[in-house]
């Protein structure tokens, strides 16, 4: 029996030596170590042996088994390593290859200016609110102290949708909507950016659609000096600590008194240049103290509350800031133009 076991070992090791594939290895494992294999058969026959012989043969059988297993395991490990190496080779990626560029959009020049202005006013405690672009005549005109027969309505030729509905001609209706929603409660401190529409023939300085940013502050004891201080702080954050403002008397039906606000020319520091047409000043916004009639119509007692409002055009600010000569560039979407603002 011992000889059979030794012969079996020799035969198995020889056959294993010539194994060519993982599958062959599996087959040999079953052939020699499986339940129906010769080793199992020999072990089963051990019952017929004498008590002295049994442990001796048992030991030999175990040794043979261990020797065969060892070779199979070594080969198995080699196959596995081979497979891992093949996988690694097949799945290699070249991390030094440049990536495929994906076309990237960017914030539009106008929106950049809007965001910058929003940030300044957020820093002063204002809240951003938005209103509809398709607006009621009431909010756009009537409640802003512009009754139907008011001559100042001619100042803004409007796109009417019906007799009562139009594309808003300015962002001032958001003043009214905000006051209405606040139901006589103060303080109100809002900034409202958005698109506005006017029946203008488009040229280098006019567009039938552009952007405005409205500001409104309502509280007790709000005075013209608050308006001036707020706007001075604003231009200094936008243009630098040396910027100055000046207020010129003006007229808007919804503010009294009203003022146009000029900022000292940021190109020449006020000395006079092409940008400021040699005046040293550039007009940037309209403003005034909220008209008592406007307060009253929206539910605020003008004897108790007062406020100021202002409206500015980001296009104008961007045109000056970037030295752009034609407002139409902002809307005609020529990528060569737009791409210049990717990193500003
Ligand atoms: N709504 C005015 C305009 O479009 C600007 C403005 C806003 C003036 C608020 C005064 C107060 O020209």
């Amino acid at each position: 029996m011992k000889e059979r076991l030794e012969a079996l070992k020799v035969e198995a090791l020889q056959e294993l030596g010539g194994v060519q594939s993982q599958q062959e290895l599996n087959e040999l494992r079953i052939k020699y170590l499986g339940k129906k294999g010769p080793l199992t058969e020999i072990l089963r026959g051990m019952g017929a042996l004498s008590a002295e012989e049994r442990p001796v043969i048992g030991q030999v059988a175990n040794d043979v088994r261990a020797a065969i297993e060892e070779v199979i395991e070594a080969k198995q490990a080699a196959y596995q390593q081979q497979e891992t190496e093949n996988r690694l080779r097949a799945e290699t990626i070249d991390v030094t290859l440049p990536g495929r560029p994906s076309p990237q959009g960017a914030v539009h020049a106008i929106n950049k200016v809007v965001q910058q202005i929003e940030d300044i006013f957020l820093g002063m405690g204002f809240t951003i609110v938005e209103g509809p672009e398709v607006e009621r005549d009431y909010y756009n005109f009537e409640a802003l102290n512009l009754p139907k027969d008011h001559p100042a309505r001619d100042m803004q030729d409007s796109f009417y949708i019906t007799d009562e509905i139009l594309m808003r001609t300015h962002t001032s209706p958001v003043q009214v909507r905000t006051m209405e929603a606040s139901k006589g409660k103060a303080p109100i401190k809002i900034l409202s950016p958005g698109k506005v529409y006017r029946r203008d023939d488009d040229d280098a300085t006019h567009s039938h659609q552009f952007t405005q940013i409205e500001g409104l502050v309502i509280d007790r004891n709000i005075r013209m000096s608050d308006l001036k201080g707020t706007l001075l702080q604003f231009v200094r954050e936008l243009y630098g600590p040396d910027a100055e403002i000046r207020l010129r008397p003006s007229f808007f039906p919804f503010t009294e008194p009203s003022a146009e606000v000029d900022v000292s020319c940021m190109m020449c520091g006020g000395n006079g240049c092409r940008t400021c047409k040699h005046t040293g000043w550039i007009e940037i916004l309209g403003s005034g103290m909220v008209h008592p009639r406007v307060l009253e119509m929206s539910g605020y007692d003008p004897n108790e509350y007062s406020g100021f409002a202002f409206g500015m055009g980001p296009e104008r600010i961007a045109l000056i800031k970037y030295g752009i000569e034609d407002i139409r560039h902002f809307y005609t979407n020529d990528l060569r133009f737009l791409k210049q603002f990717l990193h500003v």
Side-chain angles (χ1 to χ4, degrees):
M1 196 170 251
K2 194 173 168 191
E3 289 76 50
R4 267 182 67 198
L5 280 166
E6 294 295 352
L8 183 64
K9 177 174 160 187
V10 173
E11 184 198 324
L13 294 188
Q14 195 176 8
E15 224 181 329
L16 280 166
V19 85
Q20 296 287 353
S21 69
Q22 169 85 60
Q23 190 180 344
E24 268 180 52
L25 185 65
N26 287 342
E27 281 165 11
L28 289 182
R29 186 203 312 271
I30 293 165
K31 175 171 171 188
Y32 286 105
L33 303 177
K35 278 200 194 91
K36 292 186 183 127
L39 201 56
T40 314
E41 199 190 302
I42 291 170
L43 290 170
R44 257 194 219 116
M46 294 234 307
L49 295 176
S50 68
E52 295 84 55
E53 265 181 321
R54 218 177 285 151
V56 181
I57 296 300
Q59 182 66 50
V60 176
N62 280 336
D63 290 348
V64 169
R65 186 182 183 93
I68 295 172
E69 267 174 356
E70 195 184 324
V71 173
I72 288 178
E73 254 149 46
K75 291 215 173 258
Q76 180 63 35
Y79 276 123
Q80 238 147 32
Q81 167 140 14
Q82 185 67 44
E83 197 187 320
T84 309
E85 272 165 23
N86 287 347
R87 281 245 309 272
L88 282 174
R89 208 172 303 124
E91 293 172 11
T92 299
I93 47 168
D94 181 355
V95 293
T96 66
L97 274 179
R100 281 189 209 103
S102 48
Q104 231 188 349
V107 178
H108 191 278
I110 295 299
N111 289 332
K112 279 197 176 146
V113 171
V114 170
Q115 284 171 5
Q116 203 183 349
I117 294 171
E118 283 178 350
D119 281 348
I120 294 172
F121 282 97
L122 284 169
M124 292 197 267
F126 283 67
T127 305
I128 313 278
V129 298
E130 287 186 18
E133 291 170 27
V134 180
E135 186 54 285
R136 289 178 186 282
D137 181 279
Y138 174 79
Y139 291 111
N140 195 80
F141 290 129
E142 202 90 18
L144 288 164
N145 202 26
L146 279 135
K148 284 233 153 52
D149 54 355
H150 198 289
R153 281 199 182 200
D154 295 340
M155 286 179 2
Q156 303 171 349
D157 273 82
S158 324
F159 288 114
Y160 272 91
I161 289 166
T162 70
D163 277 354
E164 291 303 323
I165 294 174
L166 72 160
M167 302 307 291
R168 67 178 178 187
T169 59
H170 52 177
T171 43
S172 298
V174 185
Q175 289 187 34
V176 180
R177 288 181 171 274
T178 306
M179 284 189 276
E180 245 184 29
S182 305
K183 299 194 187 311
K185 284 200 204 69
I188 291 175
K189 218 172 159 186
I190 57 132
L191 195 76
S192 187
K195 293 190 177 80
V196 301
Y197 302 81
R198 291 187 194 175
R199 280 180 51 182
D200 263 329
D201 289 326
D202 292 1
D203 61 23
T205 53
H206 293 84
S207 169
H208 63 282
Q209 183 254 292
F210 56 100
T211 316
Q212 279 194 341
I213 301 181
E214 191 84 9
L216 174 70
V217 172
I218 305 275
D219 207 345
R220 293 187 172 86
N221 304 317
I222 297 291
R223 297 174 301 186
M224 196 98 185
S225 52
D226 296 308
L227 164 67
K228 197 173 175 186
T230 303
L231 294 177
L232 182 61
Q233 176 67 19
F234 161 63
V235 300
R236 288 189 172 168
E237 288 196 43
L238 189 64
Y239 292 118
D242 297 330
E244 294 292 347
I245 57 169
R246 82 177 175 187
L247 274 59
R248 282 180 292 108
S250 184
F251 172 78
F252 298 101
F254 33 92
T255 48
E256 181 59 35
S258 304
E260 306 272 7
V261 177
D262 298 341
V263 61
S264 51
C265 181
M266 63 300 290
M267 296 296 168
C268 62
N271 296 323
C273 67
R274 226 170 49 131
T275 303
C276 59
K277 300 199 180 84
H278 302 283
T279 63
W281 297 96
I282 293 177
E283 184 193 320
I284 54 158
L285 54 85
S287 67
M289 302 307 292
V290 181
H291 196 291
R293 282 279 299 140
V294 172
L295 286 170
E296 208 165 19
M297 274 188 277
S298 294
Y300 284 81
D301 180 354
N303 296 314
E304 192 177 350
Y305 292 106
S306 53
F308 67 79
F310 57 85
M312 65 183 115
E315 275 81 356
R316 226 183 110 66
I317 291 170
L319 285 171
I320 297 164
K321 182 169 176 181
Y322 300 119
I324 298 160
E325 80 292 353
D326 193 324
I327 195 171
R328 287 170 292 193
H329 286 316
F330 289 130
Y331 309 106
T332 41
N333 290 335
D334 185 331
L335 285 179
R336 290 168 303 176
F337 172 80
L338 295 175
K339 277 185 176 160
Q340 296 177 73
F341 300 95
L342 276 177
H343 304 293
V344 298

